[in-house]
Amino acid sequence: MDSRWIPDIVPLVPLREQVVFPHMISPLHVKGDDMEAVERALQDQRILALFYNGQPSPRSDQNHMAEIGTVCRINQVQRFNEGNAKITVEGLARVRLGTCVPDSHCLMARVTVLQEPVDQGLVAQTLVQSVYSLLKVALSHGRPLPGDVMKMVERIEEPGRLADLIAVYLGLAPAVQQRMLEILNPVERLKEVYLILSGEIQKQQVRGEIQEEVSRKIGKNQKEYLLREQMKQIQEELGDDDPRQSEIDEFRSRLERTQMPPDVLRVAEREMARFERLHPASPEYGVARNYLEFLVELPWNRSSEDALDIPRAQTILDEDHFDLKEVKERILEFLAVRSLRPQGSKGPILCFVGAPGVGKTSLGRSIARALGRRFIRIALGGMKDEAEVRGHRRTYIGAMPGRIVQEINRAGVNNPVFMLDEIDKIGHDFRGDPSSALLEVLDPEQNNTFRDHYLDVPFDLSQVMFITTANTLDPIPAALRDRLEIVRLSGYGDEEKEQIAVRYLIPKQIEENGLQNVPPEFHPEALRAIIRDYTREAGVRHLERQIAAICRKLAKEITLGLEPQRQVTVDRAGELLGPCIFFAEIAEDVDRVGVATGLAWTESGGDIIFVEVTRMPGRRELTLTGRLGDVMQESARTALSFVRANAERLGIDGELFEHSEVHVHVPAGAVSKDGPSAGITLAVALVSLLTGRPVRRRVALTGELTLSGRILPVGGVKEKILAARRAGVATALLPRRNQAQVEAMDKGIIGDLEIQYMETADDALATALLPVERVRGSFTRFSCDSRPGVRPSV
């Protein structure tokens, strides 16, 4: 097409990854808004302007558009389903960009065709010949060019077209190609091509020299390899041992002795063959050697024999731990199943849940001793890297197996007792989620083919007895919790703590503090005083610290030459430990209006909480303070709604709610509190405030309250009963549905605590509230025997 027939205004497409030259046929991928320009060109004369735009700017932004571009003709269009297309264009001429003409459909540009001067002088001919020569030199140094391109180069005599052709096939950067496009003088453009070719030839020469040096070194290594092989043969003839061959022979003999599964053995033999071919100086040599070392050391079929003597196991468990009947029963059941079915029974996944200090971790050691198995413990608290469980792949530098496989390898048997301590303290970050990696480990249906990333072969974990511990189940993901057999360890009562101290803690601390020659004698009253006045916990960890403190002070007196006082009485314990830390605050207090005592469960065992309610002038508002959780806030609103709905029956003036603001506060504001079991306690405090009837201070309550006044069961009953006894509570009110749990407890846990059961809120109000209280100079009467449907007298 003659350039005179090129229109002044043509559709424009910006290019960001390539430059199109005149007289060249180039493919383009068009998408998005640029398709509108292509459609416009196809409707007109198939003429399209292409300008290089190296920055991602908007369509109509002309600031970053190159000044010189190419006007092309569309020869072929191949459309795709996504609305994109591949077009083939033929460059016609260089054009200069004038202005962008606004259009509703596409970007239009006003262009001016640029005419190139025709130069066939001596300089041009010389340059053409020099470029031919340089191309041949570049080809001789390995610069690849298509064969048809060389034929085209030989036929072109015009300097400009030759420069454009070479610029396209040299694979230059788009910015360099645009600079070549903007050189209008053909001779100057060919000079630029000549300089670029010269630089490419120099790079190829340097690259060739480097390649020759590498080949020479490789030849040297091959020569060394042949010499080493010859030396090996000579040593065999002379009877001398090659250290590397001895190592290979040792690996092979260990592979034969190790009873690996067939699929693992195939992998090991393949790695062994690869290891034999590696040179000791190779970086892969150490990696292959460490992998083989780990494979042959793993206890694939080495197991310890279980001690299936059930009476002996029961004796060991009773020696190490007091009470914990449910846990001991579960271990004896496991031994019984193993004795009846030695092969094929899968290891259980137990999860001990309880407050700190109740003996979860030490119980794992006792189980291992009772079974006659090795014991392994891993602390999961703060673990955030998935590779701690599954290991690293061997492609990483310094890769190693996960902790599961490492510890089993150290134990030397494939059926240890494996304790995963503090499973509720696992974290996760960008390195992965270890709790998700434990899903396969702690699933008896899957862990027989556990695949560590480092080993990359299945390892059978089904014979391992996994035990996990946690203080609470809430942080454990539901999928992981579903794989665990939950065994709850309740807190200890004062009598149980006294027995544990006499049997375990005191002998242990006497030995650790070197008092075997003059062992102290703790009076029972002194132990009870220590438990009551210096500790308040579900476990016995703090009790052991107090006993250790007494033993240390006695050891100090002995080293100072003082006469040791072996009798530890109540007065002597107070002298050594100092003032009391805890007091029975309920027993010494008075009955109050609007203050009720509740029983709560915490991670450290049971505890008591006080619910205080007051009223002030306001507009029907409810204020909640004391760091209450969402569930407890809902319980407070439920209790208030119940009291308002039953105000007339309870003897409460309904107008009080219209002009009052009720404030509910639970002291110890720095401690967060949550749960539904304080619902009845909140209701009792509200009724006490609004009727003026005091709450019996030595009565504590727990139970979830519904809007209809029913009392629903709660959890942590044993911990709450122990907390009530520690705090000096005389009567505990529990939901009727928890009666079976209480009756199954040891009588020593309940002690002299009176337990009453309630089905409705009226049962709780009748017991917890005193019948009469003077309010504003008058008496408000409330019948202790009031029931639903009976209006109390005022």
Side-chain angles (χ1 to χ4, degrees):
M1 178 183 288
D2 192 345
S3 61
R4 289 176 298 178
W5 295 99
I6 296 175
D8 296 332
I9 300 176
V10 294
L12 185 145
V13 172
L15 301 177
R16 294 186 175 88
E17 298 179 358
Q18 69 183 101
V19 175
V20 176
F21 285 86
H23 310 293
M24 301 293 163
I25 297 176
S26 304
L28 295 176
H29 290 275
V30 185
K31 60 182 178 179
D33 297 333
D34 297 335
M35 279 299 299
E36 297 179 0
V38 174
E39 297 293 347
R40 181 66 176 270
L42 293 174
Q43 294 173 5
D44 197 359
Q45 302 181 28
R46 306 175 73 92
I47 301 300
L48 191 66
L50 303 176
F51 286 83
Y52 177 71
N53 183 6
Q55 299 189 14
S57 58
R59 293 176 54 206
S60 58
D61 188 4
Q62 194 176 347
N63 295 331
H64 300 293
M65 201 81 71
E67 183 181 0
I68 305 297
T70 306
V71 66
C72 304
R73 177 175 55 203
I74 301 176
N75 290 343
Q76 188 178 1
V77 179
Q78 182 181 359
R79 301 178 185 273
F80 302 104
N81 294 333
E82 296 83 3
N84 306 335
K86 177 182 178 182
I87 64 174
T88 304
V89 297
E90 178 184 0
L92 300 178
R94 284 175 169 81
V95 293
R96 185 183 303 277
L97 177 63
T99 57
C100 291
V101 180
D103 187 271
S104 60
H105 298 287
C106 65
L107 188 61
M108 304 292 291
R110 190 182 302 276
V111 297
T112 304
V113 178
L114 301 177
Q115 300 295 335
E116 292 185 9
V118 178
D119 190 351
Q120 294 293 339
L122 183 59
V123 176
Q125 295 178 4
T126 305
L127 271 174
V128 169
Q129 296 298 325
S130 300
V131 168
Y132 287 162
S133 301
L134 283 178
L135 277 177
K136 294 179 180 179
V137 175
L139 287 173
S140 66
H141 282 84
R143 177 70 183 186
L145 281 179
D148 55 346
V149 174
M150 287 303 301
K151 294 179 180 178
M152 292 172 59
V153 169
E154 293 175 357
R155 292 198 299 266
I156 295 175
E157 297 180 357
E158 300 174 12
R161 292 189 62 180
L162 180 62
D164 293 345
L165 179 63
I166 296 176
V168 169
Y169 286 99
L170 277 180
L172 304 177
V176 179
Q177 290 184 352
Q178 177 62 31
R179 180 163 54 85
M180 300 287 294
L181 184 69
E182 293 175 355
I183 301 175
L184 300 180
N185 190 325
V187 176
E188 294 298 327
R189 194 157 67 244
L190 195 57
K191 287 181 180 179
E192 188 72 19
V193 170
Y194 181 86
L195 294 176
I196 292 174
L197 268 176
S198 300
E200 284 290 320
I201 291 174
Q202 291 179 358
K203 292 178 183 178
Q204 290 175 358
Q205 289 176 346
V206 173
R207 194 177 297 115
E209 293 174 359
I210 295 174
Q211 187 65 31
E212 289 179 1
E213 181 67 19
V214 171
S215 300
R216 186 180 62 82
K217 289 184 177 180
I218 291 177
K220 180 181 179 182
N221 291 336
Q222 291 177 345
K223 180 180 179 181
E224 290 179 356
Y225 174 77
L226 292 175
L227 291 175
R228 290 182 185 278
E229 290 297 321
Q230 293 176 359
M231 185 180 298
K232 185 190 304 182
Q233 189 66 29
I234 294 173
Q235 288 175 344
E236 290 180 359
E237 293 292 335
L238 296 176
D240 296 337
D241 292 333
D242 181 11
R244 182 170 179 271
Q245 187 61 38
S246 300
E247 184 178 38
I248 293 173
D249 295 339
E250 181 184 357
F251 270 131
R252 287 214 169 272
S253 62
R254 292 171 68 181
L255 276 178
E256 294 174 359
R257 294 195 305 268
T258 305
Q259 298 178 356
M260 294 182 178
D263 51 346
V264 180
L265 184 60
R266 285 193 296 270
V267 173
E269 289 177 347
R270 186 172 65 247
E271 289 294 325
M272 190 68 215
R274 178 172 169 268
F275 176 69
E276 291 178 349
R277 294 192 299 268
L278 289 174
H279 191 275
S282 172
E284 294 293 324
Y285 183 84
V287 176
R289 187 187 185 282
N290 292 338
Y291 179 69
L292 285 172
E293 186 79 26
F294 215 91
L295 276 183
V296 299
E297 285 185 355
L298 273 176
W300 298 98
N301 283 299
R302 291 197 304 271
S303 304
S304 60
E305 187 174 352
D306 288 339
L308 300 178
D309 188 350
I310 295 181
R312 172 182 172 276
Q314 186 169 7
T315 303
I316 291 175
L317 293 175
D318 291 337
E319 287 177 357
D320 293 348
H321 289 272
F322 182 77
D323 197 21
L324 303 179
K325 296 179 180 178
E326 182 180 356
V327 182
K328 296 176 182 177
E329 186 69 22
R330 180 65 185 86
I331 301 306
L332 297 179
E333 291 172 1
F334 172 73
L335 287 177
V337 173
R338 292 286 293 186
S339 63
L340 297 177
R341 190 184 180 191
Q343 302 297 330
S345 61
K346 299 177 180 178
I349 313 295
L350 302 179
C351 180
F352 296 154
V353 181
V358 296
K360 300 185 297 295
T361 304
S362 60
L363 187 60
R365 294 189 177 90
S366 300
I367 292 172
R369 191 162 76 92
L371 295 176
R373 294 190 180 189
R374 302 283 180 88
F375 179 73
I376 300 172
R377 175 184 170 273
I378 293 180
L380 300 181
M383 181 183 291
K384 296 182 179 180
D385 192 353
E386 179 191 354
E388 292 280 345
V389 178
R390 287 190 172 276
H392 303 83
R393 300 191 184 277
R394 280 179 288 158
T395 54
Y396 294 102
I397 297 176
M400 57 192 308
R403 293 286 302 278
I404 303 291
V405 175
Q406 283 188 49
E407 296 299 333
I408 290 178
N409 184 40
R410 291 193 185 100
V413 292
N414 63 359
N415 64 338
V417 174
F418 206 123
M419 172 163 282
L420 302 173
D421 214 0
E422 307 292 350
I423 196 172
D424 56 332
K425 308 299 190 301
I426 294 180
H428 61 89
D429 58 8
F430 64 93
R431 292 169 292 184
D433 185 2
S435 61
S436 298
L438 286 174
L439 293 178
E440 182 184 4
V441 176
L442 300 181
D443 191 344
E445 301 298 328
Q446 301 180 29
N447 60 9
N448 60 336
T449 57
F450 173 70
R451 190 176 289 267
D452 187 274
H453 287 329
Y454 181 83
L455 293 180
D456 200 24
V457 291
F459 187 84
D460 187 5
L461 297 178
S462 61
Q463 300 302 315
V464 179
M465 184 175 185
F466 284 101
I467 298 176
T468 64
T469 69
N471 296 129
T472 177
L473 290 175
D474 294 337
I476 305 176
L480 182 58
R481 188 165 61 246
D482 183 63
R483 287 161 165 78
L484 306 176
E485 181 180 340
I486 307 300
V487 179
R488 296 187 179 273
L489 278 68
S490 303
Y492 298 112
D494 290 351
E495 291 79 5
E496 293 172 326
K497 291 180 181 179
E498 185 178 347
Q499 292 295 327
I500 292 172
V502 172
R503 298 185 185 187
Y504 308 106
L505 304 183
I506 293 176
K508 176 183 175 183
Q509 292 303 322
I510 289 176
E511 182 180 356
E512 290 188 358
N513 290 279
L515 299 176
Q516 295 92 332
N517 296 329
V518 282
E521 297 180 4
F522 286 78
H523 288 201
E525 296 80 5
L527 275 178
R528 297 189 194 103
I530 295 172
I531 294 170
R532 181 181 64 252
D533 300 335
Y534 294 91
T535 65
R536 183 160 291 180
E537 57 178 345
V540 293
R541 189 170 291 160
H542 194 53
L543 173 61
E544 184 177 5
R545 294 193 187 102
Q546 299 297 338
I547 295 174
I550 292 176
C551 292
R552 288 196 303 270
K553 294 181 184 297
L554 294 177
K556 177 183 175 183
E557 292 180 355
I558 293 174
T559 56
L560 292 176
L562 303 177
E563 183 67 25
Q565 300 182 21
R566 298 175 56 187
Q567 302 297 323
V568 180
T569 62
V570 176
D571 296 336
R572 180 62 170 159
E575 177 187 344
L576 295 174
L577 295 178
C580 297
I581 302 176
F582 301 101
F583 301 92
E585 41 192 333
I586 293 182
E588 300 175 357
D589 211 336
V590 296
D591 304 326
R592 298 181 183 177
V593 175
V595 180
T597 304
L599 299 175
W601 181 91
T602 65
E603 292 186 7
S604 59
D607 204 352
I608 62 168
I609 60 173
F610 299 108
V611 176
E612 299 182 353
V613 184
T614 188
R615 181 177 64 87
M616 62 202 77
R619 297 286 298 173
R620 299 176 61 180
E621 294 182 359
L622 176 63
T623 302
L624 303 171
T625 56
R627 288 195 67 184
L628 308 185
D630 294 339
V631 178
M632 196 166 180
Q633 292 184 28
E634 292 177 357
S635 298
R637 296 188 185 94
T638 303
L640 181 60
S641 298
F642 168 77
V643 174
R644 290 185 61 190
N646 297 273
E648 182 179 358
R649 186 174 60 80
L650 295 173
I652 301 172
D653 185 3
E655 295 296 326
L656 290 176
F657 299 103
E658 299 296 330
H659 308 288
S660 301
E661 176 182 347
V662 178
H663 187 161
V664 177
H665 177 67
V666 182
V671 180
S672 60
K673 313 164 190 72
D674 203 1
S677 62
I680 186 60
T681 310
L682 291 161
V684 168
L686 287 168
V687 173
S688 171
L689 171 73
L690 299 174
T691 60
R693 300 173 60 190
V695 182
R696 287 187 171 91
R697 191 60 169 167
R698 292 173 63 84
V699 173
L701 309 93
T702 181
E704 180 179 354
L705 177 67
T706 67
L707 285 175
S708 61
R710 294 182 299 116
I711 307 298
L712 302 183
V714 295
V717 176
K718 181 180 178 181
E719 289 81 359
K720 293 177 180 179
I721 290 176
L722 294 175
R725 292 188 57 192
R726 285 196 300 266
V729 173
T731 304
L733 295 181
L734 303 178
R736 175 69 65 181
R737 296 190 192 176
N738 290 117
Q739 182 175 358
Q741 295 177 257
V742 177
E743 292 176 351
M745 294 180 187
D746 194 302
K747 299 302 180 182
I749 297 175
I750 302 174
D752 57 354
L753 179 68
E754 179 186 1
I755 297 180
Q756 297 186 16
Y757 302 100
M758 49 187 175
E759 294 182 354
T760 64
D762 295 288
D763 299 336
L765 295 173
T767 304
L769 298 181
L770 290 173
V772 179
E773 174 66 14
R774 184 181 298 274
V775 180
R776 297 181 182 177
S778 63
F779 289 97
T780 302
R781 299 185 181 275
F782 188 93
S783 174
C784 291
D785 298 327
S786 58
R787 291 292 183 269
V790 180
R791 180 179 177 182
S793 59
V794 179

